[in-house]
């Protein structure tokens, strides 16, 4: 299974070198775009871990906000170093997820979807309502950025590398989790819950675990986002952003690890290239969403799979 | 961001700004009575929103996330026809309802019917329509401030010095209740209504009895959209009209639907009025944000303690 695959290695290496060189050839606004895109990749991949159990939640982006608020409050008001608050942000989101799992996992399927939405929205309203310490609708501004050896992390290029390193590490861990025994069990919980239970798998425990791990990583993503932006508001984590995560995951395809990544990258690049359409962009999204659901229900990843098969048959026939 | 400014603070339906001139000297009793009246009017809207969602969910198994946008289209239609083109209010309401019905029929035929076996697909399709309708509203109305339509029935029913009900709101309440009664009559007293309820109970068994599932679904969606369009048309003269107004509608409809019991129409109507009372009173005595939080948490509690809602029947697996 772990056979060394040369093509795969070469592809990964080129991708990495490309990502390392890329920011030096981009304009300022595109450097910004790349930072947020890489953070969003972590958001969708961690969301996929949750969907492995078969439960679709609408609280994921709010968990990102939990991480963001934790990191912002600790670094701004308690003077904790940003290097410490970023992991703590993930931890706080995971702990909250653990606490919320008791009521939330009493529900499944559609009820869980709506229940998770309601709990998330209530948390978001709490950020709006409790002006102290959350700052109400306008949130928290002038959140400090990280400091290290005199490198200016306000500048996009160093921050880009920081995000790239952190997200790559997180993706690696998430990939290992998915391929491990835990990941396989999560799949079993999704497709054969009664069978999994009958052989002694505590499905509740595994759902909770998936929710906590997904929240841990999305909390980190939230912290990464706001230390670059410099402010955090409740509106950044509204249901609108959650809908975009859903779209990326579904259009990309949620059956493979890289499907959601493809979805996030392709749709974000498309979105960026349509920037001059401003507020009319959502309609393009809507049309694309319907087309992709109607004509390729398995997602964009399926196209790449089809392409691979096609190349294979072309090779073998020649 | 999609719902960037749609916070609950500025809920256009909180109706508490009714008599601003006298509000500061209002007595507690008047606030109480006024809140009762407001909750009745609001309950009528909540019921119209939720009943359409329940109908579609019950018969088609689809969660229509674009339901709030159908309400929004109804309100925009009134703005275009009445405020821009100078048409009378009543004919404008009829046109708005028919327009939204047509959109609903289109959605059923081309988006929900092909995805009948794939609820997630239907849900995603409805999100697609949601985006498109919001942008259509932007194209029609532009980006400026929220639109307003002058009431078609000026004048106010004055019960006492502190309690006034504008005629427009009385009209809305009357029409909402009439629409709900007609729906009830249709579902319980006509053959078509029976067949729809049969499909909601068991789609396959109904199909085996010779009930046309496609036709039933189409009619259910048309009624659901028609009610949404009617709600939008009734709201147009008494609230702000803007592309994201469906956000509030869908959240409220979810709360009402869940509390009332998914799939139960009478439960939805009862829950609509109960939730309207709760929401209006918490808004009047505390704040709109707290009211929304209470509503959401109420929904979670119902989901956990009694997922079938206050009127729902136990569903077998």
């Amino acid at each position: 299974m772990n056979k060394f695959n040369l093509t795969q290695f070469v592809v990964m290496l080129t991708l990495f070198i490309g990502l390392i060189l890329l920011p030096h050839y981009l304009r300022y606004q595109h450097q910004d775009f790349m930072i947020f895109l890489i953070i969003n990749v972590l958001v969708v991949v961690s969301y996929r871990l949750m969907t492995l159990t078969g439960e679709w939640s609408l609280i994921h982006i709010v968990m990102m906000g939990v991480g963001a608020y934790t990191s912002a409050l600790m670094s701004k008001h308690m003077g904790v170093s940003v290097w410490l608050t970023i992991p703590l942000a993930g931890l706080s989101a995971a702990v909250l997820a653990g606490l919320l799992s008791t009521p939330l996992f009493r529900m499944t399927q559609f009820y869980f979807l709506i229940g998770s939405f309601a709990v998330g929205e209530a948390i978001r309203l709490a950020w709006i309502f409790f002006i102290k310490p959350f700052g109400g609708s306008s949130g928290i501004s002038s959140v400090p950025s990280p400091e290290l050896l005199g490198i200016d992390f306000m500048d996009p290029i160093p921050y880009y590398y920081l995000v790239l390193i952190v997200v790559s590490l997180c993706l690696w861990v998430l990939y290992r989790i998915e391929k491990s025994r835990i990941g396989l069990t999560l799949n079993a919980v999704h497709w054969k819950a009664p069978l999994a239970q009958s052989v002694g798998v505590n499905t509740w425990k595994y759902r909770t675990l998936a929710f906590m791990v997904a929240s841990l990583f999305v909390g980190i993503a939230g912290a990464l986002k706001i230390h670059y932006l410099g402010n955090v508001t409740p509106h950044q984590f509204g249901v609108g952003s959650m809908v975009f995560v859903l779209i990326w995951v579904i259009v990309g395809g949620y059956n493979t690890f890289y499907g959601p990544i493809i979805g996030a990258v392709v749709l974000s690049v498309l979105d960026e290239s349509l920037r001059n359409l401003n507020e009319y962009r959502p309609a393009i999204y809507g049309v694309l969403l319907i087309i992709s659901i109607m004509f390729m229900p398995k997602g964009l990843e399926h196209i790449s799979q089809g392409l691979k098969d096609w190349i294979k048959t072309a090779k073998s026939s020649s | 961001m999609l719902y960037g400014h749609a916070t609950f603070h500025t809920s256009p339906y909180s109706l508490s700004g009714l008599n601003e001139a006298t509000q500061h000297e209002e007595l507690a009793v008047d606030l109480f009575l006024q809140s009762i009246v407001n909750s009745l009017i609001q309950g009528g809207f909540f019921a119209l929103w939720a009943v359409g969602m329940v109908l579609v969910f019950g018969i088609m198994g689809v969660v229509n996330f674009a339901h709030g946008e159908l309400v929004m289209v109804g309100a925009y239609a009134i703005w275009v026809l009445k405020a821009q083109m100078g048409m009378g209010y009543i004919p404008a309401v009829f046109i708005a309802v028919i327009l939204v019905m047509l959109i609903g029929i289109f959605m059923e035929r081309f988006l929900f019917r092909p995805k009948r076996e794939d609820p997630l697909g239907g849900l995603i399709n409805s999100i697609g329509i949601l985006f498109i309708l919001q942008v259509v509203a932007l194209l029609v109305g532009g980006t400026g401030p929220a639109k307003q339509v002058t009431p078609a029935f000026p004048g106010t029913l004055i019960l006492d010095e502190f309690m006034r009900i504008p005629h427009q709101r009385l009209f809305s309440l009357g029409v909402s209740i009439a629409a709900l009664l007609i729906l009830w009559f249709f579902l319980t007293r006509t053959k078509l209504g029976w067949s729809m309820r049969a499909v909601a109970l068991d789609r396959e068994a109904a199909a085996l009895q010779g009930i046309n599932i496609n036709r039933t679904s189409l009619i259910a969606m048309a009624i659901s959209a028609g009610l949404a369009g009617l709600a939008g048309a009734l709201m147009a003269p008494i609230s702000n009209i803007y592309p994201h107004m469906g956000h509030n509608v869908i959240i409220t409809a979810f709360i009402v639907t869940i509390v009332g019991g998914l799939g139960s129409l009478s439960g939805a109507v009862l829950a609509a009025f109960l939730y309207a009372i709760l929401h209006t009173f918490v808004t009047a005595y505390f704040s709109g944000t707290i009211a929304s939080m209470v509503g959401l948490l109420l929904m979670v509690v119902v989901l956990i303690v009694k997922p079938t809602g206050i009127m729902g029947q136990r569903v077998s697996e």
Side-chain angles (χ1 to χ4, degrees):
Chain A
M1 208 175 123
N2 265 332
K3 214 172 62 181
F4 184 71
N5 185 334
L6 190 68
T7 7
Q8 212 175 355
F9 180 73
V10 171
V11 169
M12 288 299 280
L13 196 70
T14 349
L15 192 67
F16 251 103
I17 293 174
L19 279 173
I20 289 167
L21 293 177
L22 192 63
H24 298 284
Y25 299 98
L26 290 176
R27 273 181 294 158
Y28 185 79
Q29 80 178 81
H30 291 145
Q31 291 170 343
D32 262 14
F33 168 75
M34 281 306 293
I35 290 172
F36 293 127
L37 177 57
I38 294 173
I39 292 171
N40 285 339
V41 164
L42 181 55
V43 174
V44 290
V45 172
S46 55
Y47 186 66
R48 197 184 108 74
L49 188 76
M50 185 69 214
T51 64
L52 277 185
T53 62
E55 302 292 359
W56 291 74
S57 88
L58 291 177
I59 202 174
H60 199 60
I61 283 290
V62 175
M63 284 301 173
M64 185 181 187
V66 171
Y69 269 96
T70 309
S71 199
L73 286 172
M74 287 177 100
S75 59
K76 192 182 174 190
H77 295 308
M78 295 161 68
V80 183
S81 156
V82 173
W83 301 108
L84 211 61
T85 62
I86 291 176
L88 281 175
L91 210 63
S92 65
V95 168
L96 186 62
L99 293 175
L100 290 177
S101 66
T102 311
L104 278 180
F105 286 114
R106 285 176 176 277
M107 304 169 245
T108 55
Q109 304 301 318
F110 173 71
Y111 296 97
F112 177 76
L113 185 89
I114 299 303
S116 64
F117 165 74
V119 172
E121 195 69 10
I123 293 174
R124 217 172 64 84
L125 288 173
W127 292 333
I128 295 174
F129 184 73
F130 295 104
I131 293 173
K132 200 177 163 75
F134 299 119
S137 287
S138 50
I140 303 165
S141 55
S142 53
V143 176
S145 60
E147 280 169 33
L148 183 76
L149 305 169
I151 301 171
D152 180 15
F153 280 101
M154 300 280 263
D155 191 43
I157 290 181
Y159 205 86
Y160 172 88
Y161 288 125
L162 170 69
V163 167
L164 188 63
I165 292 167
V166 173
V167 171
S168 303
L169 276 175
C170 293
L171 289 188
W172 182 74
V173 173
L174 280 163
Y175 185 77
R176 298 305 303 178
I177 291 175
E178 191 181 325
K179 296 293 166 196
S180 73
R181 214 189 154 77
I182 297 170
L184 296 176
T185 315
L186 292 179
N187 250 314
V189 167
H190 179 189
W191 297 109
K192 290 273 186 288
L195 182 66
Q197 271 170 340
S198 74
V199 296
V201 174
N202 185 341
T203 53
W204 181 298
K205 200 180 85 183
Y206 275 93
R207 284 197 178 114
T208 306
L209 183 71
F211 184 35
M212 286 177 74
V213 173
S215 300
L216 173 83
F217 286 107
V218 84
I220 291 173
L224 284 175
K225 182 176 178 182
I226 56 109
H227 285 294
Y228 183 65
L229 272 178
N231 63 44
V232 48
T233 68
H235 305 307
Q236 291 162 350
F237 308 104
V239 70
S241 321
M242 188 63 229
V243 167
F244 278 104
V245 172
L246 274 181
I247 293 173
W248 289 331
V249 172
I250 289 169
V251 172
Y254 48 91
N255 291 318
T256 58
F257 187 79
Y258 55 85
I261 303 180
I262 296 176
V265 171
V266 169
L267 290 182
S268 302
V269 170
L270 191 83
D271 194 48
E272 183 68 13
S273 59
L274 296 170
R275 185 168 272 277
N276 51 350
L277 289 175
N278 291 323
E279 59 269 10
Y280 304 120
R281 279 187 294 175
I284 314 269
Y285 254 102
V287 171
L288 274 175
L289 196 58
I290 291 171
I291 290 174
S292 73
I293 281 293
M294 300 302 282
F295 300 109
M296 37 178 199
K298 287 183 174 170
L300 287 172
E301 55 148 31
H302 200 64
I303 295 179
S304 75
Q305 196 62 44
L307 219 60
K308 240 187 242 168
D309 293 345
W310 184 74
I311 291 169
K312 228 177 243 170
T313 45
K315 257 187 195 165
S316 59
S317 62
S318 65
Chain B
M1 189 178 301
L2 183 58
Y3 296 118
H5 57 270
T7 58
F8 295 96
H9 283 310
T10 51
S11 166
Y13 321 121
S14 46
L15 311 177
S16 49
L18 213 55
N19 39 10
E20 278 143 337
T22 53
Q23 208 164 42
H24 55 96
E25 52 190 71
E26 250 176 11
L27 300 166
V29 173
D30 291 298
L31 182 63
F32 182 82
L33 289 174
Q34 185 75 62
S35 295
I36 295 258
V37 172
N38 286 348
S39 22
L40 275 178
I41 294 163
Q42 216 168 5
F45 284 126
F46 287 6
L48 279 188
W49 300 345
V51 160
M53 271 202 51
V54 171
L55 211 56
V56 164
F57 183 80
I59 290 168
M60 296 153 64
V62 171
V63 184
N64 182 11
F65 266 83
H67 195 70
E69 274 54 40
L70 295 177
V71 173
M72 181 270 294
V73 170
Y76 261 85
I78 296 295
W79 176 71
V80 170
L81 293 170
K82 183 168 182 292
Q84 301 298 107
M85 290 162 65
M87 191 186 270
Y89 181 63
I90 304 288
V93 170
F94 274 101
I95 295 178
V97 170
I98 290 167
L99 172 75
V100 179
M101 265 183 167
L102 289 176
I103 297 175
I105 288 170
F106 170 85
M107 284 165 71
E108 199 285 327
R109 181 63 192 83
F110 296 105
L111 299 177
F112 295 151
R113 191 177 295 181
K115 290 284 155 192
R116 192 170 288 156
E117 304 307 320
D118 174 13
L120 190 65
L123 188 150
I124 298 296
N125 269 341
S126 75
I127 294 178
I129 280 288
L130 176 156
F131 282 121
I132 294 170
L133 289 179
Q134 283 181 351
V135 170
V136 169
L138 264 178
L139 286 171
V140 170
T143 47
K147 314 283 178 267
Q148 269 158 357
V149 175
T150 48
F153 309 102
T156 305
L157 179 70
I158 300 173
L159 293 179
D160 73 58
E161 196 186 342
F162 298 107
M163 231 179 93
R164 297 143 183 268
I165 314 165
H167 288 160
Q168 184 74 46
R169 283 170 207 265
L170 276 181
F171 174 78
S172 304
L173 181 64
V175 174
S176 318
I177 291 174
L180 292 171
L181 283 176
I182 291 171
L183 179 70
W184 176 79
F185 184 82
F186 169 73
L187 286 175
T188 54
R189 297 285 186 278
T190 67
K191 207 165 180 188
L192 197 57
W194 291 352
S195 69
M196 287 175 72
R197 288 192 297 149
V199 175
L201 278 175
D202 189 331
R203 194 184 296 162
E204 274 176 30
L208 285 173
Q209 300 294 320
I211 293 172
N212 185 339
I213 304 289
N214 284 345
R215 198 177 66 140
T216 315
S217 299
L218 200 69
I219 293 169
M221 188 63 208
I223 294 175
S224 166
L227 291 173
L230 180 66
L234 292 176
M235 277 158 65
I238 52 176
S239 64
N240 287 327
I241 303 168
Y242 55 98
H244 295 151
M245 63 191 281
H247 182 67
N248 208 344
V249 174
I250 193 83
I251 291 179
T252 307
F254 267 137
I255 294 173
V256 169
T257 311
I258 298 282
V259 172
L262 214 58
S264 162
L265 286 170
S266 48
V269 173
L270 181 63
F273 283 96
L274 288 179
Y275 179 58
I277 292 170
L278 179 77
H279 194 274
T280 312
F281 273 86
V282 177
T283 304
Y285 288 95
F286 298 96
S287 83
T289 314
I290 294 276
S292 298
M293 272 165 90
V294 168
L296 290 163
L297 293 176
L298 175 74
M299 172 160 91
V300 175
V301 168
V302 170
L303 277 171
I304 292 167
V305 177
K306 195 169 184 301
T308 48
I310 49 177
M311 296 279 276
Q313 278 118 32
R314 195 147 282 287
V315 186
S316 56
E317 291 282 305

